[in-house]
């Protein structure tokens, strides 16, 4: 009897394996609209994704290439493990505070049927707003580490979607450039594409491709070849072949496909933080998002008085006093002209010399004196640094910063996302947290939802922004409007906000000191609501702000949010984003260069409540004076609609308060 039982168990086990070797694995989102399926072929696993029965990705292969051979051919599939993932968590910094995450998950065990018999799990999650999958490399006999040459994740798009993407020259860049809008069939082949990239399918279906939880791995890009999108990993420095080196167990980041027939659902989505680990910082009481000066942008301008602007106490006192009397939060110190605040023998901010020393403050500055004065005024200080001299003395520097009373730092010129740099960025975050320091990454890659795990990551640059107003004409409203549909989908976007000296496009000129911007005052106000950034820059001079229309809105607007909704959006044309903080709503609308009128439906407000709305909108003659705005206050309810005339390069903001 025992032998017969063993034979029966063996038979049914083999029968079960043979079934899964030939059967599609299917996973459906909780609302039933998104479907993922995977099948094994002789050459590789292939997957499909459809939305409301419309195929978006079809027969798309998944392979991996290692130092000990490719993984994809001659695989068998063990029994998939299905489950429901549901959690509620709170974000310290984010587009919403209380998050409810619900998804369906399947773990698909894949194993080679020939030498070297490696095992890799494909883990897939289906949310109502997208699909995510990653590769997990479990600990196993005979394979304890790997060198990855290529991750052959592909996206075989169907129906020739319209594409909004940023092409990059190579893997080492600041991710700053102009976006391209084209049909997929017409898109250039063999060019590196940054993520997120947006794909607009027929029937108003939208899909954005990006990644989540990028940790101890190389950043991924897209690349079109032979009609198919391929994932391309950033290679290890000094060569092109090796992408990732790791010991088992290990895992890849999540490959994320945000999907909806409402483009606003992608903007409001929390799928990236859902895919990241919970907060690693036990005490978060010291984490204080807010708004900051950044005097580099305006040229470190001071009034024509008894002192010279520069690396000195009077200059910093002037800006600290401005922050204090206007209820702002932070003053940043970077240095003056091309001289950092620390001892530096390089050719400029981006090229630190061999003797650069983050622990040696230039003789004209007394950092302790500045921090003590700022503290006496209720203002906190944060420092700009190039990443190289900071990383060279990371432990000593962070200890010294904490001793001075520094609140955080901008870490700049990283310009890479290979595995080593990804590790370095997380090391900065983890060690900074131990010294109660926030981090603002500049010259860096996109975020991937790590603000959940490390809420001391306040923001990232990683896009062409208003700093370019100092030297070119690239950052206009037609560029700005790409942000909500591409870069913003990845998370916080630092954009050098706050330019209050606007000129119409035909009069715009570049200036290093007191630079101009080329969108209307209302457009500039709205960017504080449209973009997500937990450290909001107030980049212009005190003289540019104080007494000017709209500055009261900048003083009031928060930088973190309890809720986000998107009442209006048309890809690359206009967008309205409403964000709630406490009982107040802040609503921002930005337009491209085409003047238009839109209606903003206020149904997102609570029923049976009355509100006071303060409306800031473009004046009729902004084509002559783009700093002019019209301010209007009235009573409204959630049954109302606001008709907004949007100027070319224009915008609008609302501040809505319950009565």
């Amino acid at each position: 009897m025992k032998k017969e039982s063993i034979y029966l168990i063996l038979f049914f086990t083999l029968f079960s394996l043979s079934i899964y070797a030939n059967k599609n694995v299917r996973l459906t989102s909780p609302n039933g609209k998104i479907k993922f399926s995977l099948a094994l072929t002789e050459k590789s696993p292939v997957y499909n994704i459809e939305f409301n029965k419309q195929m978006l990705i079809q027969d798309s292969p998944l392979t991996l290439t290692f130092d000990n051979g490719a993984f994809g051919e001659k695989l068998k599939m063990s029994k998939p493990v299905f489950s429901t993932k549901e959690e509620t968590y709170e974000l310290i910094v984010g587009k919403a505070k209380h998050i409810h995450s619900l998804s369906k998950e399947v773990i698909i065990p894949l194993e080679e049927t020939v030498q070297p018999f490696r095992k890799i799990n494909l883990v897939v999650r289906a949310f109502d707003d997208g699909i995510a999958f990653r590769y997990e490399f479990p600990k196993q006999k005979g394979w304890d580490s790997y060198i990855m040459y290529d991750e052959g994740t592909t996206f075989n798009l169907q129906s020739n979607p319209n594409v909004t993407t940023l092409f990059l020259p190579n893997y080492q860049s600041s991710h700053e450039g102009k976006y391209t809008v084209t049909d997929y069939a017409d898109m250039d082949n063999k060019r590196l594409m940054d993520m997120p990239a947006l794909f607009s399918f027929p029937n108003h279906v939208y899909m954005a491709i990006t990644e989540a939880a990028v940790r101890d791995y190389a950043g991924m890009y897209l690349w079109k070849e032979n009609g198919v999108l391929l994932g391309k990993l950033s290679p290890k420095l000094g060569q092109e072949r090796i992408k990732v080196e790791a010991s088992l167990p290990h895992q890849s980041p999540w490959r994320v496909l945000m999907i909806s027939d409402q483009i606003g659902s992608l903007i409001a989505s929390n799928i990236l933080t859902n895919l990241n680990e919970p907060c690693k910082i036990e005490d978060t009481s010291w984490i204080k998002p807010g708004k900051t000066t950044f005097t580099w942008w305006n040229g470190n301008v001071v009034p024509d008085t008894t002192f010279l602007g520069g690396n000195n106490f009077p200059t910093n006192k002037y800006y600290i006093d401005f922050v204090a009397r206007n209820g702002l939060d932070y003053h940043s110190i970077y240095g003056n002209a091309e001289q950092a605040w620390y001892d530096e023998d390089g050719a400029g901010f981006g090229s630190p010399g061999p003797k650069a020393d983050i622990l040696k403050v230039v003789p004209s500055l007394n950092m302790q004196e500045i921090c003590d004065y700022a503290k006496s005024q209720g203002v906190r200080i944060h420092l700009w640094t190039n990443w190289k001299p900071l990383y060279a003395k990371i432990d000593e520097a962070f200890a010294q910063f904490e001793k001075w009373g520094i609140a955080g730092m901008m870490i700049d010129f990283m310009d890479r996302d290979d595995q080593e740099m990804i590790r370095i960025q997380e090391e900065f975050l983890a060690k900074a947290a131990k010294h109660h320091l926030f981090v603002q990454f500049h010259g860096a890659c996109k975020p991937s939802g790590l603000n959940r795990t490390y809420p001391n990551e306040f923001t990232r640059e990683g896009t062409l922004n208003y700093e370019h107003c100092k030297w070119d004409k690239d950052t206009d409203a037609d560029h700005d409007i790409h942000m909500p549909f591409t870069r913003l989908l990845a998370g916080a976007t630092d954009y050098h906000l706050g330019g209050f000296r606007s000129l119409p496009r035909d009069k715009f000129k570049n200036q290093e000191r007191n630079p101009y911007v080329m969108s209307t005052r209302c457009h500039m106000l709205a960017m504080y609501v449209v973009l997500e950034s937990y450290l909001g820059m107030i980049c212009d001079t005190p003289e540019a702000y104080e007494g000017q229309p709209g500055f009261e809105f900048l003083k009031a607007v928060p930088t973190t949010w309890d809720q986000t909704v998107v009442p209006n959006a048309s890809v690359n044309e206009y967008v309205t984003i409403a964000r709630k903080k406490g009982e107040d709503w802040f609503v921002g609308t930005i337009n491209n260069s085409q003047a238009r009128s839109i209606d903003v439906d206020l149904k997102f407000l609570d029923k049976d409540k009355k509100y006071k709305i303060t409306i800031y909108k473009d004046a009729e003659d902004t084509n002559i004076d783009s700093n002019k705005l019209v301010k209007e206050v009235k009573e409204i309810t959630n049954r109302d609609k606001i008709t907004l005339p949007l100027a070319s390069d224009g915008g609008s903001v609302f501040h809505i308060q319950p009565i």
Side-chain angles (χ1 to χ4, degrees):
M1 285 296 288
K2 287 184 179 180
K3 280 188 177 182
E4 290 176 0
S5 297
I6 291 170
Y7 289 145
L8 282 171
I9 292 170
L10 181 61
F11 171 78
F12 283 115
T13 300
L14 292 173
F15 180 72
S16 175
L17 288 175
S18 68
I19 287 175
Y20 282 105
N22 295 290
K23 186 178 178 182
N24 283 0
V25 177
R26 293 181 175 87
L27 187 70
T28 302
S29 61
N31 65 7
K33 292 184 177 182
I34 303 175
K35 295 184 178 179
F36 173 96
S37 63
L38 181 128
L40 291 185
T41 70
E42 187 66 22
K43 291 186 176 181
S44 70
V46 296
Y47 74 96
N48 298 335
I49 294 177
E50 57 183 280
F51 178 84
N52 280 345
K53 299 183 179 179
Q54 179 176 341
M55 192 66 71
L56 306 181
I57 294 177
Q58 188 168 27
D59 296 335
S60 209
L62 300 173
T63 61
L64 301 165
T65 304
F66 301 99
D67 55 331
N68 61 345
F71 183 93
E73 294 185 359
K74 294 182 173 58
L75 301 181
K76 65 180 180 180
M77 183 193 304
S78 298
K79 185 176 181 180
V81 179
F82 291 87
S83 63
T84 296
K85 298 290 182 182
E86 185 170 15
E87 64 172 331
T88 299
Y89 62 92
E90 185 173 308
L91 287 177
I92 308 300
V93 292
K95 68 181 79 171
K97 186 174 183 180
H98 300 287
I99 313 297
H100 178 245
S101 174
L102 176 64
S103 64
K104 301 291 185 179
E105 181 185 87
V106 60
I107 301 173
I108 305 171
L110 302 172
E111 182 178 355
E112 292 173 313
T113 59
V114 295
Q115 289 278 2
F117 302 111
R118 293 165 297 183
K119 299 176 182 179
I120 295 176
N121 295 332
L122 181 69
V123 184
V124 188
R125 290 187 187 172
F127 298 83
D128 286 344
D129 53 3
I131 291 285
F133 60 85
R134 72 177 177 191
Y135 308 97
E136 292 185 349
F137 311 102
K139 190 174 182 179
Q140 54 200 273
K141 186 177 180 181
W143 195 33
D144 56 10
S145 65
Y146 72 81
I147 298 174
M148 183 182 289
Y149 295 148
D150 284 300
E151 181 191 311
T153 298
T154 68
F155 308 89
N156 188 21
L157 305 183
Q158 303 299 296
S159 304
N160 190 29
N162 187 261
V163 185
T164 304
T165 190
L166 173 62
F167 290 114
L168 293 173
N170 52 58
Y171 294 104
Q172 295 182 43
S173 78
S174 59
H175 300 261
E176 298 179 21
K178 298 286 282 184
Y179 279 77
T180 296
V181 180
T182 181
D183 286 341
Y184 183 70
D186 299 328
M187 192 174 76
D188 290 349
N189 283 292
K190 297 185 178 181
R191 291 186 66 186
L192 211 58
M193 300 165 60
D194 206 359
M195 298 195 300
L198 179 69
F199 303 89
S200 301
F201 289 84
N203 303 315
H204 303 287
V205 174
Y206 305 96
M207 181 175 74
I209 301 178
T210 189
E211 55 186 339
V214 183
R215 302 173 67 184
D216 194 16
Y217 205 86
M220 193 172 87
Y221 300 76
L222 300 174
W223 172 279
K224 182 186 175 187
E225 188 171 343
N226 298 323
V228 178
L229 279 183
L230 312 175
K232 289 278 189 177
L233 298 182
S234 186
K236 184 178 178 180
L237 278 186
Q239 51 85 68
E240 295 183 358
R241 194 178 189 193
I242 297 174
K243 310 303 193 307
V244 181
E245 298 178 278
S247 298
L248 272 57
H250 198 240
Q251 61 198 22
S252 76
W254 292 96
R255 283 44 189 112
V256 183
L257 301 99
M258 305 168 73
I259 304 168
S260 180
D261 54 1
Q262 302 291 323
I263 188 63
S265 296
L266 273 60
I267 296 170
S269 173
N270 290 293
I271 191 171
L272 298 190
T273 52
N274 292 345
L275 292 163
N276 273 268
E277 291 183 7
C279 181
K280 284 183 170 290
I281 303 171
E282 291 185 12
D283 174 21
T284 60
S285 61
W286 56 273
I287 298 176
K288 305 291 185 185
K291 284 162 285 190
T292 182
T293 64
F294 189 54
T295 60
W296 171 86
W297 188 84
N298 68 51
N300 217 27
V301 170
V302 295
D304 186 14
T305 59
T306 57
F307 65 90
L308 294 173
N311 260 345
N312 55 45
F313 179 80
T315 298
N316 287 289
K317 179 181 182 298
Y318 171 67
Y319 280 94
I320 290 167
D321 291 344
F322 162 71
V323 171
R325 67 176 172 264
N326 289 290
L328 305 177
D329 305 287
Y330 295 100
H331 168 57
S332 66
I333 298 175
Y334 78 94
N336 185 60
E338 284 295 306
Q339 173 61 56
W341 59 266
Y342 52 85
D343 195 22
E344 169 63 86
D345 62 334
F349 291 127
S351 304
K355 297 181 181 179
D357 191 342
I358 200 80
L359 297 176
K360 291 183 180 179
V361 182
V362 294
S364 59
L365 278 180
N366 183 325
M367 193 63 74
Q368 191 65 66
E369 179 186 24
I370 292 172
C371 290
D372 289 347
Y373 179 75
K375 184 178 180 181
S376 75
Q377 301 302 304
V379 176
R380 305 183 75 192
I381 297 296
H382 76 102
L383 302 174
W384 173 93
T385 70
N386 184 293
W387 79 272
K388 289 181 179 178
L390 177 63
Y391 191 64
K393 295 186 176 181
I394 183 171
D395 295 312
E396 303 97 314
F398 285 174
Q400 182 61 65
F401 292 175
E402 185 177 25
K403 183 178 178 182
W404 281 332
I406 299 297
M409 70 227 102
M410 176 194 289
I411 304 176
D412 206 349
F413 292 104
M414 310 189 87
D415 294 341
R416 294 162 39 198
D417 61 351
D418 55 274
Q419 185 183 18
E420 180 187 40
M421 181 54 74
I422 293 298
R423 286 171 173 165
I424 288 171
Q425 289 182 5
E426 184 165 349
E427 186 178 354
F428 275 135
L429 289 168
K431 289 187 173 181
K434 293 179 180 178
H435 295 276
H436 293 181
L437 298 164
F438 71 74
V439 174
Q440 171 190 17
F441 287 120
H442 265 224
C445 56
K446 66 188 179 299
S448 65
L450 270 180
N451 57 294
R452 179 184 179 186
T453 311
Y454 295 102
N456 61 325
E457 181 181 318
F458 276 6
T459 193
R460 285 175 179 251
E461 192 182 29
T463 190
L464 181 73
N465 60 77
Y466 293 141
E467 69 180 355
H468 280 254
C469 292
K470 293 161 72 76
W471 54 75
D472 62 39
K473 298 181 179 181
D474 287 341
T475 319
D476 55 23
D478 292 315
H479 174 74
D480 292 348
I481 197 59
H482 293 316
M483 294 302 105
F485 308 109
T486 53
R487 172 61 182 79
L488 181 65
L489 300 180
T493 308
D494 204 355
Y495 212 74
H496 291 87
L497 295 182
F500 253 42
R501 307 170 198 268
S502 178
L503 288 175
R505 286 199 194 203
D506 59 349
K507 297 177 183 176
F508 180 78
K509 58 182 179 179
N510 299 122
Q511 286 186 179
E512 278 286 339
R513 290 168 60 83
N514 292 319
Y516 294 105
V517 294
M518 63 182 86
S519 296
T520 70
R521 173 72 56 84
C522 282
H523 183 105
M524 302 306 290
L525 296 177
M527 291 293 280
Y528 284 87
V529 183
V530 169
L531 295 187
E532 181 184 352
S533 185
Y534 322 128
L535 186 70
M537 281 194 185
I538 306 290
C539 278
D540 221 325
T541 64
E543 183 182 11
Y545 291 124
E546 292 181 317
Q548 284 293 308
F551 183 47
E552 70 275 18
F553 181 85
L554 292 195
K555 292 193 288 184
V557 68
T559 61
T560 59
W561 307 99
D562 297 337
Q563 185 181 351
T564 294
V565 297
V566 184
N568 268 328
S570 180
V571 174
N572 299 331
E573 292 185 329
Y574 60 87
V575 69
T576 301
I577 299 180
R579 302 189 191 268
K580 190 179 185 184
K581 185 70 171 183
E583 294 300 315
D584 288 14
W585 284 91
F586 296 81
V587 183
T589 300
I590 61 170
N591 189 32
N592 66 4
S593 57
Q594 179 64 51
R596 74 185 79 242
S597 180
I598 65 169
D599 290 332
V600 179
D601 196 323
L602 301 180
K603 63 184 177 182
F604 57 85
L605 298 174
D606 291 340
K607 294 179 180 179
D608 304 319
K609 270 191 179 182
K610 292 183 178 180
Y611 295 86
K612 180 184 81 171
I613 184 171
T614 305
I615 302 171
Y616 300 79
K617 58 186 178 182
D618 297 320
E620 290 185 2
D621 57 348
T622 51
N623 61 318
I624 299 171
D625 182 355
S626 47
N627 294 297
K628 292 181 71 175
L629 59 81
V630 175
K631 183 177 178 180
E632 181 183 339
V633 181
K634 61 183 181 180
E635 188 176 299
I636 50 96
T637 71
N638 80 324
R639 297 185 297 275
D640 288 309
K641 290 183 180 181
I642 304 296
T643 298
L644 277 182
L646 297 173
S648 171
D649 306 330
S652 171
V653 288
F654 307 158
H655 184 186
I656 304 175
Q657 300 163 284
I659 296 174

